[in-house]
Every structure is written in C-alpha cells, then in structure tokens.
Amino acid sequence: MSRIILSLCVLLCCILAIAPFLNIPVMPTNIAFISSYGAYLSGTVAPCIALFAYIGVLKAIRLQREQLEQLSEETKKQEIIRGLEKYDSLIKESLLNHSISIEIEGHQYDLYQVMTMLYFETTYQQAVKFKNNYFEKKEVQNIVKEAMVFEAVAAASLYFKRMSEYISEYKRISKDNLVVGFYYNKYQSLAIRLHTLGYIESDTYDFWEKKLNKSLK
C-alpha cells in the first residue's frame, strides 16, 4: 500500500512538472519563463509533496500506535503466562506438602497423583473426604493426617480458582487456545474432583468445564 501511494505521488508530481510544456512546441529558455515556471512548481508540486508527506506522517503514527498496542497486549499475555506457571507450581506444591502418602489398592501414591490423574477417577474419594465432613463433629481416625489432607486440598483449591481467573483474562485478550488447552487438559480431572468434594463453587467449575470445554472444541 505504501509503495502504491509513493508511486502515485511521484507520478502526480511529474505530471504537474511537465504540464506547462504539453502545449508548447519549443521550450523557451528565457529568464522570464524560468522564473514563472519556478513559481508554478512552488505553487503546485510543493503543496502536493507537503500533502503526501502529511499523509505519510499520519500513516506512520497509526502504525506506531498499532505496534504499541500489540506490544502492550503481548506484554500482558506474557505476564498472565508467568502467573499461570506460578499457580501451576503452587498447586503441585500444596498437594505434595507434608509428603502425604496414600494407599489405594495396596499401592502408595502421593496426593497430587490422586487428585490429578485420570487413573484415580473412581478411587480418589477413598483418600480425600468431602469438605463438609471435616467440619462435622465426629471421631475421625488418624486425625492428623486428615487435617494435613484437608489443608493441602484447600490450598490447592484456592490456587486453582486464581488460575481460572488468569485463564479467563487470557482468553479475553487472545484467541490462542494452546496455553488454555494445556492447562485445561492438565487440570480437568482436578476441577471435577474439587467441585465434587465441595472445594470450589459452581461458577468456577462451570467456567472450567463448560466455557473452556466448549471454546476448545
């Protein structure tokens, strides 16, 4: 587009420059003609050049503004990605906190595996109770371990909610589904289990399971 505008500018200036000679069979070389021709050029070609220069400046300003907006958006995306990486790490750290070992079907697993791996879809409730159960006044076996499990899962749920907010903001400013798809696939099972056990509200789960799932299809 810029080349076309430049070409038109040069062509117009050339036409205006030779216009006085189109109806003159022999070009006069006297000083009076040269003087009047110079005045003609300054009155026709110079304003055209100034106009095209002004258009060029406007175009440069617009391009610069677009570049700044893109840079600002890219910077924000990078900040969100760093935030997602942070909460990804915090979720794992919280579930691995206290080095809780859980026995399922004769094998030992850590809490992070139990809450995130698809393999434990039907058995994770053996290790983690519903949130309300921890507040009921009844005798609990191995109360120290149960308290550590509750603390770890509760902390992970808070980080998970924060991660959901970051993903929502990322989707608002970007159509890129690569980052969103990565975290959705990684924590889809965790979202279902936290919601089933009562650690996250329905709005967080609906965003994760319905909106994200629908947008990634």
Side-chain angles (χ1 to χ4, degrees):
M1 186 64 182
S2 299
R3 292 182 179 179
I4 295 175
I5 294 176
L6 180 60
S7 300
L8 291 175
C9 177
V10 173
L11 179 61
L12 179 59
C13 291
C14 291
I15 292 174
L16 292 174
I18 65 174
F21 304 102
L22 296 180
N23 296 323
I24 301 177
V26 179
M27 183 179 71
T29 56
N30 57 68
I31 297 177
F33 176 80
I34 294 175
S35 176
S36 61
Y37 182 63
Y40 166 78
L41 288 179
S42 64
T44 55
V45 177
C48 290
I49 294 176
L51 175 62
F52 285 117
Y54 177 72
I55 294 174
V57 170
L58 291 179
K59 184 175 179 63
I61 293 174
R62 182 172 61 84
L63 290 174
Q64 186 178 26
R65 185 183 297 113
E66 291 176 354
Q67 290 174 350
L68 289 174
E69 290 176 354
Q70 291 176 357
L71 181 61
S72 176
E73 182 177 299
E74 188 63 28
T75 300
K76 191 171 185 179
K77 285 169 59 178
Q78 292 301 319
E79 291 178 355
I80 292 175
I81 290 174
R82 285 193 292 270
L84 290 172
E85 292 172 348
K86 170 188 173 182
Y87 287 107
D88 179 26
S89 177
L90 288 172
I91 288 172
K92 186 172 184 178
E93 288 177 7
S94 63
L95 292 175
L96 293 176
N97 193 23
H98 305 305
S99 300
I100 302 170
S101 179
I102 298 170
E103 182 176 347
I104 297 179
E105 298 179 353
H107 299 280
Q108 298 294 325
Y109 303 97
D110 59 56
L111 189 57
Y112 180 78
Q113 292 173 319
V114 172
M115 290 298 291
T116 60
M117 292 177 62
L118 189 62
Y119 174 76
F120 300 99
E121 183 175 1
T122 59
T123 56
Y124 70 93
Q125 292 186 28
Q126 297 178 20
V128 184
K129 293 181 173 60
F130 286 87
K131 183 179 180 180
N132 291 337
N133 289 3
Y134 292 100
F135 299 99
E136 294 178 357
K137 294 182 179 180
K138 62 180 182 179
E139 186 176 350
V140 179
Q141 294 181 349
N142 200 350
I143 190 171
V144 175
K145 182 177 180 179
E146 293 293 345
M148 290 190 297
V149 170
F150 171 76
E151 177 191 347
V153 177
S157 68
L158 294 176
Y159 297 137
F160 182 82
K161 293 175 187 177
R162 191 65 176 137
M163 174 181 281
S164 300
E165 295 172 0
Y166 271 68
I167 292 177
S168 177
E169 180 63 17
Y170 188 88
K171 282 188 62 62
R172 188 184 67 81
I173 65 173
S174 175
K175 296 181 180 180
D176 176 27
N177 285 329
L178 184 61
V179 173
V180 177
F182 171 78
Y183 287 104
Y184 175 79
N185 292 328
K186 185 173 184 178
Y187 287 118
Q188 181 183 12
S189 295
L190 179 62
I192 295 173
R193 292 167 195 179
L194 288 176
H195 180 255
T196 301
L197 295 169
Y199 284 89
I200 60 174
E201 296 80 6
S202 295
D203 55 347
T204 302
Y205 176 74
D206 289 343
F207 164 76
W208 194 271
E209 189 59 26
K210 295 181 180 180
K211 291 183 179 179
L212 287 188
N213 190 18
K214 183 178 179 180
S215 66
L216 292 172
K217 289 183 178 179

